[in-house]
Every structure is written in structure tokens, then in C-alpha cells.
Amino acid sequence: MRIIAKSIRQMLRTPVRSALFLVLIALAASLLSLGGGLYLLSSENTKRLEDVFVTIGTVRQKSTRVYERETWDAEKKEYITRGSQAEYASIVPVDVLHFEGANYIHSPVRRPYYGAYNFDWKVHNEDWSVTLIAQWRENYPVLELEPVEDCVPDHPVRMNIKKRLYFERPVDGWEGLWLCDHYNPDPLPLYAGKTYIMALDWKPEHADFPRFSGEFFPSAYDYNLREHRASPRYEEWAIASTQYRPDGERIPDSFAITAPWDEVTEGFYDTPRGLRWLEYAKSMHRAEYTIPVIPTDSTELLMSFYNGNSNVTQGRDITKEEYRTGDRVCLITQEFASLNGFSVGDQLALPLYYADYRDSAGRDFSPGDVLLGIPDHLLNAQGKCYEVFEENEYTIVGIYNEINKVTRSSGFDMPANGVVIPAASVKNSDENNILDYGPMMDYNTVFQIPNGTIGPFMEAWEKQGADDLEITFYDRGYTQLKEGLDKIKGVALALFVAGTFIATIILLFFCQMFIGKQKKRTAIERCLGMSRAQCSLSLLSGILVIALLGSIAGSSAGYFLSGRAMKLFTSQTQNERFNTEYSSWADTAHKKLDIQLGDSPADPIICVVTGSFILILSAAIAMVGIQSNLRSEPLKLLSMRET
């Protein structure tokens, strides 16, 4: 201890030099600690991003042309524009997305949604249905009608109701209705005394007929007239079939549909045409109790869940393992659970009877709508209702809620009464139950790739030379965050290298000052009988004490600075503007960001590591100088003039 104390006193004889050494070594230690702390924090946050963030891509086939669709308007007596429509020359198969260099976590698959029905299910609030029926009566009835007089329905004409095939609930005072073949420029005549069966749709009244609440028109289910549809169609009546094969080929209807209604004569319902009308009425009744079932490989592949607009409020999400193995578990909506008294852990039987490969469940079952039957092509090519192709019981593991329920869905919303199931849980083929088919759209073709691989993926994709598909990526801002963290890592490495270099230069300089120029002191100590070890301790201890003090101060300062720097990065990141096309999830996304980015200081072990590194480096450089001193002959040193 006496040797160490003398060494320190010797250092204090040059206070300015020693203080400068202390300050500079503290600066070097702070750079090392700051660099190491930032690197550790960046690495930890990068791991957080990898655990929470997901990168998905959506695929949309580009249309070959877009045109304005015009249709006849019986009130205006002219053709009117009914919106623009996209047309596709052919349907691009999903196989083109399987190419070398595509490192998928979940490969792109054309996901349908399924229809499941149960006449015991409640699918809408009674107060809504009563109000709707009272105001609009029945939106899509299938009725037998008789004209009051001979007429051509190019304007509202009075019809008596003879029989109700669909929606037979009594409505007081409703014994007739007004009919107009509103969208047909050349309607067929109707004759008094004859009975006609029709599938109808409701619309507001003509402006010059204010005496009644509305009119009905024959339900020509023309996809051109429905906004945002994927592809135009020829005008087809509701009882026509749009059944498809799995390869997207349309199955020809069993017989052509030539008129918007049929005359009901004796024995009509024993004919193929009459039987089709009965099947159609049956299918509409079934559709009233139908709910959409969404098969998927991950909840993150459903945009509403991905964007935070939907979240599990009771129970839990479906696990990765359950998705992989196809366990029969499901998520149901909060409203559906409330209406039917379902709870987490209950069993839900799902009789799947059709698959729609054209549209999204959110568009056909908009979460803000109350549906009393879906006016879709619900018959197969033989004019029959689709048979159930698979029925299993699913365990309800979670109940979810859609935060913002839109009335007109863009396709990305979760549908009303929607049930989410693992895609692998459906074992039977739906090849005989494909109700509709269309091109790949961003709401039915989704894939997942590793985070941070958008660039390499697009480079590999562009080599394929395909220009008829549009791919859009969503990563919740992962790319920007990762780039920021990578920049911090680069700065951290630069600080660490700079700190190491500065520490080395400082130690070389001051070891030369405190050791290299103290050879005569070493010679005197050796002549006084001190051993080589004692001489080494005498020179080394003072250097190490100052290095220890400087490294403690500098490492502590760098440690706290690293936390402050990461907090500053986090706060700036909160103000970054990410893709908020789906504005309903913006707030949720930012809340997730708060959780995902850590801004606390790094592990205090970084101070110990930095301090230890400075001490070891100091001892190593000092020992080199000490060995040089000890190699010199004491008597020779003492006889030399000091320069």
C-alpha cells in the first residue's frame, strides 16, 4: 500500500497533467459506454420489432381496361352512368407468385370466404329488423304477383300479391305493391288475370309518384351495377347460377334465363323452371340465416386485425400451432356472441355450404349493415341450393370486436357475424360449392414475408417480368423503424471505434509521460533495493487509479446518455407519419409503437464492461512502457545526463 500511495503522490506532483489525463480518459470511456449502450438498446429494440411487427403483402390484378357502365333509367327515360367498371382479359393464377427468391412465411393463396347457416342463429338485432321491415317492408321478396290491369312496366304499375315464397311474415295492409322494370329499356308486357313469379328488389319511388313509399323492380343481379365489384358481368337474373370450377372456369347453367319473371300456370312448380324458383326461395331463406366464415393461416393476415381495428376482447387469439395443425377452434364477433349467448369455451357447429372466391366477406356482410337476405346467385349450375360440403364443431377460443364498423366496406373490414377459423381445419374440398370466382384482389390474396425483406423480394419479383399484378406491402412502419435503429447501430459502432482509438492514443501519450520519461526514477528505485515487481507496481498503480476514476465517470455518463438518446429517437419516431390509409387503426398503431420501442437505459453491465476494457487497455500499454524501463541498466541510466 505504501508503494501505491507513493505512486499516487508522484502523480499529484504534476496536477495539470494528471487532471488532463483524467478528463481525457473519462471522455474516451464515455464514448465507449455510449456506443456500447446504444448498440445494445438498438439490438434489443430490433428483437422487439421482430417479435411484434409483421410484414404482409397484398396482391391485386390490374385491369385491362376501365369503362363507364351505363344503364337504362325508367324515370328519366334515358341511359345513365352507373359508375366505372374494371375489365380483365383473363384471371392470373396465384402460381405466378411462387418464384425463386420469394422467401414466404405464409405463401400467397386465393382465400375464399365460406357461407354457413343455422336457422336457430340470430344474425341481427330485432329492433333493427322490425324498423327495416316497417319502413322498407321486405327488400328482396320472391312473390307471385298479378297485374291489376294489362300493362308494360316501364313505369310503376300496381300488382296484387298472390303468394309469398320468400318472407312470408305478415305485414298489415300490404296486399299489393308497385312494380317497375326500372333498368330494362324494353320491358315485357304483363297481363291482368295472369300470375307471375318474380324475385324483386326495392328502390325509392319515382319523383312523380309520391303517393306510395317505394317501388320494386325485377332483381336483375348485374355485377356492373354494384359499386367496387371486381369484374363486369352480363346482366343475369337472380335465379341464374354463377358456379365455377376450382380453375376459375364458369360452369354453364343448366338452362338459359330469358326473362325476369315466369308465368305461373297449373303444374308450373313441377317443371324444372318452377323447381328452380322454389330452390331460389329456399336459398334466400337460408341466406337470411347465413354468416360468413373466414379461413386464414394467421389473424395477422386479416387486414382489420393487422391494422388494429379488430382485436380480441375476451378469451385469446388462435395460436400459430393451432393454425398450423388445423385445430377446430374459432373467433366470433362480439355481436354474434351477444345475440346467441355464446361464451368462450362453447361449441359452434359450422355447416359450410358455399365458397366465394371473388369478393370479401366484409363487402357482402358489411359490419355496419343489417342484412335480411343476400341477393346473390345462390343456386348451383343445376338450379339447386348448394349442399353442405363440411360440417364440424369448433371451440370458441376468443371473441373479437370491430372498433369502427363501416356501412360500405372496402373489403378489408371484418364482416358482420364473421367467424375466423384456421384454413387447415377445413378438410373437405369446396370444388363443387364455388359460388363465385374472380381475379386476385388485395382483400383475398395476402402473403407474409420476413421483416426487412421487401427490397430483396421486389428485386426477385421484377426479374419475373410480370406486370399484370400490383403488390402492396404493409409493415406498420417496420422499415422506417429498422432503418432508424440500423443507423443508431452504425453510430454506436462509430462511437465505440472512436472511443477505442482515442483511449489508445491517450494512454500511449500519457504512459510515455508518466512511465517512458520515468526511467531514472525506476533506476533509483532499483538501486534502493526495490524488486522488479515493486517497481512495476510503483509505476502502474498511479496510472490505473486515474484510469479507474476516469472510466467510472465516463462510463456512467455514457450509460445515461445512451438512454437519453434512445428516448429521443423513440419520441421522434412517434411523430413519424406511416401509412394510415385505413384511418381507423392509426391510434391503435401508435399505441402499439409505445409498447414495442424500449427507451430505458441499457443494462448497467455496459459500465462494468467499458470500465474493465479501459483498465485492461491501460494496464497493457503501461506494462509495455514499464518493461522498457526495467530493461535499462540502472547505473547506466544514472550516469547519463537527463534530456
Side-chain angles (χ1 to χ4, degrees):
M1 292 296 295
R2 291 176 59 190
I3 295 175
I4 296 174
K6 288 180 180 180
S7 177
I8 294 174
R9 284 199 298 271
Q10 183 69 25
M11 300 288 291
L12 293 177
R13 289 178 181 176
T14 55
V16 176
R17 186 185 301 174
S18 299
L20 183 60
F21 178 42
L22 177 65
V23 171
L24 292 178
I25 204 68
L27 175 62
S30 66
L31 290 177
L32 285 169
S33 180
L34 177 60
L38 286 177
Y39 191 87
L40 286 179
L41 287 174
S42 299
S43 299
E44 290 173 1
N45 277 323
T46 299
K47 290 180 181 178
R48 285 194 183 98
L49 299 186
E50 293 294 337
D51 292 338
V52 179
F53 278 57
V54 172
T55 299
I56 64 172
T58 62
V59 185
R60 173 186 285 270
Q61 182 176 338
K62 299 177 183 178
S63 59
T64 53
R65 75 183 183 105
V66 177
Y67 64 94
E68 296 293 327
R69 179 70 171 97
E70 292 186 341
T71 187
W72 179 257
D73 187 290
E75 181 177 9
K76 297 181 179 180
K77 303 300 181 183
E78 63 181 10
Y79 284 94
I80 61 172
T81 301
R82 303 285 289 182
S84 60
Q85 296 294 326
E87 186 177 41
Y88 302 85
S90 62
I91 295 178
V92 178
V94 73
D95 292 343
V96 301
L97 292 166
H98 296 273
F99 55 91
E100 186 176 355
N103 183 22
Y104 293 117
I105 295 177
H106 292 296
S107 299
V109 178
R110 282 290 310 278
R111 287 291 181 214
Y113 82 84
Y114 299 126
Y117 76 96
N118 187 320
F119 294 121
D120 293 327
W121 285 338
K122 294 181 180 179
V123 296
H124 50 74
N125 293 316
E126 286 301 320
D127 56 340
W128 275 88
S129 66
V130 170
T131 301
L132 199 61
I133 291 172
Q135 292 180 351
W136 288 3
R137 312 246 168 111
E138 295 160 338
N139 271 11
Y140 310 108
V142 181
L143 305 171
E144 287 186 9
L145 302 174
E146 180 183 346
V148 173
E149 58 185 4
D150 293 352
C151 59
V152 176
D154 57 358
H155 63 284
V157 297
R158 192 66 178 171
M159 305 287 288
N160 291 325
I161 298 175
K162 301 282 289 185
K163 183 179 180 181
R164 305 180 186 191
L165 279 75
Y166 168 61
F167 267 72
E168 296 186 13
R169 283 178 285 199
V171 180
D172 293 340
W174 193 33
E175 298 177 352
L177 56 79
W178 292 89
L179 175 73
C180 176
D181 201 353
H182 196 87
Y183 302 109
N184 188 352
D186 189 21
L188 299 173
L190 297 169
Y191 300 98
K194 291 187 176 182
T195 300
Y196 302 90
I197 185 170
M198 302 182 189
L200 302 178
D201 199 349
W202 179 91
K203 72 175 297 295
E205 70 278 1
H206 287 194
D208 55 348
F209 281 85
R211 62 182 180 276
F212 55 88
S213 61
E215 69 178 80
F216 287 83
F217 63 93
S219 182
Y221 194 72
D222 180 5
Y223 277 77
N224 290 309
L225 304 183
R226 295 190 64 180
E227 296 181 10
H228 310 302
R229 280 286 180 177
S231 177
R233 298 286 191 85
Y234 295 106
E235 293 187 3
E236 296 171 302
W237 305 121
I239 63 171
S241 170
T242 57
Q243 186 179 3
Y244 283 81
R245 296 188 176 92
D247 60 1
E249 181 184 357
R250 175 82 171 270
I251 300 177
D253 205 335
S254 55
F255 55 87
I257 306 300
T258 58
W261 52 70
D262 275 317
E263 182 183 351
V264 179
T265 57
E266 185 177 356
F268 172 74
Y269 291 112
D270 294 326
T271 67
R273 187 70 173 228
L275 291 173
R276 171 174 285 224
W277 277 105
L278 294 177
E279 285 290 308
Y280 178 70
K282 175 183 173 183
S283 72
M284 288 295 288
H285 180 64
R286 179 190 290 182
E288 187 180 352
Y289 296 90
T290 293
I291 63 173
V293 179
I294 302 96
T296 183
D297 291 324
S298 171
T299 315
E300 293 284 5
L301 297 178
L302 305 175
M303 191 65 75
S304 188
F305 277 93
Y306 181 84
N307 289 335
N309 191 40
S310 293
N311 55 79
V312 177
T313 57
Q314 299 178 44
R316 61 172 177 83
D317 198 353
I318 301 173
T319 65
K320 292 182 179 179
E321 182 64 17
E322 288 169 336
Y323 275 119
R324 187 186 66 82
T325 57
D327 291 359
R328 292 195 173 100
V329 294
C330 68
L331 305 176
I332 66 173
T333 66
Q334 190 169 287
E335 291 78 10
F336 186 68
S338 177
L339 285 171
N340 295 277
F342 287 125
S343 302
V344 173
D346 290 348
Q347 298 294 307
L348 176 64
L350 294 176
L352 308 179
Y353 74 100
Y354 74 75
D356 190 328
Y357 281 85
R358 172 183 293 273
D359 230 324
S360 75
R363 285 159 54 87
D364 283 346
F365 296 81
S366 290
D369 281 344
V370 179
L371 302 179
L372 298 179
I374 307 165
D376 214 331
H377 290 97
L378 298 170
L379 302 180
N380 62 23
Q382 288 72 44
K384 302 289 185 181
C385 290
Y386 288 96
E387 298 294 332
V388 173
F389 65 90
E390 179 162 333
E391 181 174 5
N392 292 295
E393 286 196 345
Y394 285 75
T395 301
I396 301 170
V397 296
I399 297 174
Y400 70 91
N401 181 47
E402 180 95 351
I403 298 173
N404 294 313
K405 298 178 177 64
V406 299
T407 300
R408 190 179 296 277
S409 173
S410 61
F412 297 102
D413 308 279
M414 292 303 295
N417 303 319
V419 179
V420 179
I421 63 172
S425 68
V426 181
K427 308 299 182 182
N428 295 338
S429 173
D430 60 13
E431 61 181 351
N432 296 319
N433 297 72
I434 300 177
L435 175 146
D436 215 346
Y437 198 95
M440 284 185 283
M441 304 299 289
D442 42 14
Y443 45 68
N444 65 21
T445 308
V446 185
F447 60 85
Q448 181 182 349
I449 60 175
N451 291 325
T453 62
I454 295 177
F457 179 94
M458 289 306 297
E459 289 179 6
W461 168 247
E462 288 170 1
K463 292 179 181 177
Q464 308 307 308
D467 59 357
D468 44 8
L469 295 180
E470 179 181 343
I471 300 176
T472 304
F473 288 98
Y474 301 86
D475 62 3
R476 297 189 184 125
Y478 173 88
T479 300
Q480 295 94 323
L481 291 173
K482 183 65 164 52
E483 287 177 355
L485 292 173
D486 287 343
K487 289 179 181 178
I488 291 179
K489 277 188 178 182
V491 171
L493 287 173
L495 289 173
F496 194 86
V497 171
T500 303
F501 178 76
I502 291 173
T504 303
I505 296 299
I506 291 171
L507 289 171
L508 286 172
F509 176 75
F510 282 98
C511 282
Q512 174 63 21
M513 298 291 292
F514 292 127
I515 296 176
K517 292 188 176 183
Q518 297 291 325
K519 290 184 178 181
K520 184 170 285 190
R521 169 188 166 186
T522 302
I524 292 172
E525 289 176 345
R526 290 185 64 188
C527 290
L528 292 175
M530 292 177 66
S531 65
R532 284 175 172 265
Q534 290 174 323
C535 291
S536 298
L537 182 60
S538 175
L539 293 171
L540 183 62
S541 55
I543 295 286
L544 290 183
V545 168
I546 294 179
L548 177 62
L549 294 175
S551 62
I552 291 174
S555 297
S556 300
Y559 169 76
F560 289 108
L561 281 174
S562 65
R564 297 282 296 179
M566 186 55 68
K567 183 174 291 187
L568 178 63
F569 169 75
T570 302
S571 63
Q572 289 178 342
T573 302
Q574 303 303 319
N575 297 324
E576 291 286 343
R577 299 182 66 183
F578 301 114
N579 186 340
T580 55
E581 179 182 353
Y582 309 99
S583 58
S584 61
W585 62 269
D587 293 338
T588 308
H590 286 300
K591 290 176 183 177
K592 288 185 177 181
L593 201 61
D594 290 333
I595 298 172
Q596 291 159 1
L597 285 182
D599 55 12
S600 58
D603 194 322
I605 194 67
I606 193 68
C607 295
V608 178
V609 173
T610 302
S612 301
F613 177 75
I614 292 290
L615 288 177
I616 293 172
L617 185 62
S618 301
I621 293 176
M623 287 303 299
V624 172
I626 291 171
Q627 292 302 317
S628 176
N629 283 9
L630 293 176
R631 281 196 297 268
S632 302
E633 289 294 332
L635 294 177
K636 184 177 180 181
L637 284 173
L638 292 173
S639 64
M640 294 175 59
R641 292 181 61 185
E642 190 170 339
T643 59

